[in-house]
Amino acid sequence: MADNAQIERMISALSERMNTPAADIRNALEGGSLHKLVQKMDRKQSDKIESILNDEEKAKAFLSTPQAQAIIKKLMG
């Protein structure tokens, strides 16, 4: 299970990759506004996210990863 330090490292890496402030990513995750975050991604990244979310099997596989579970747990309090 990922801890807060691992989650922060993931947010930091995503921040660098998307050229978006980590605070914006954190706020999007905590506020449930992921669609705004996806809109900031380049076309290739947003297409990949969209393909995962539109495919039930891919979405289940993604959501079952320890990292996704840790983020979900953090968001749910």
Side-chain angles (χ1 to χ4, degrees):
M1 183 76 70
D3 60 15
N4 284 342
Q6 288 173 315
I7 292 170
E8 288 304 317
R9 284 193 298 272
M10 288 187 295
I11 289 172
S12 179
L14 187 57
S15 170
E16 278 186 35
R17 188 170 189 152
M18 292 179 60
N19 196 27
T20 301
D24 289 354
I25 294 170
R26 194 175 303 101
N27 291 338
L29 290 170
E30 291 172 355
S33 57
L34 290 176
H35 66 281
K36 291 180 184 176
L37 188 60
V38 172
Q39 289 173 343
K40 292 184 177 185
M41 294 178 174
D42 69 32
R43 184 70 179 173
K44 185 177 179 181
Q45 291 171 324
S46 65
D47 285 349
K48 188 171 185 176
I49 295 289
E50 197 172 313
S51 78
I52 291 170
L53 296 177
N54 289 332
D55 183 318
E56 187 175 346
E57 292 303 314
K58 286 181 184 178
K60 283 181 184 178
F62 172 75
L63 292 173
S64 68
T65 65
Q67 296 88 349
Q69 289 294 311
I71 291 171
I72 292 167
K73 184 177 178 181
K74 182 176 181 176
L75 294 175
M76 299 302 236

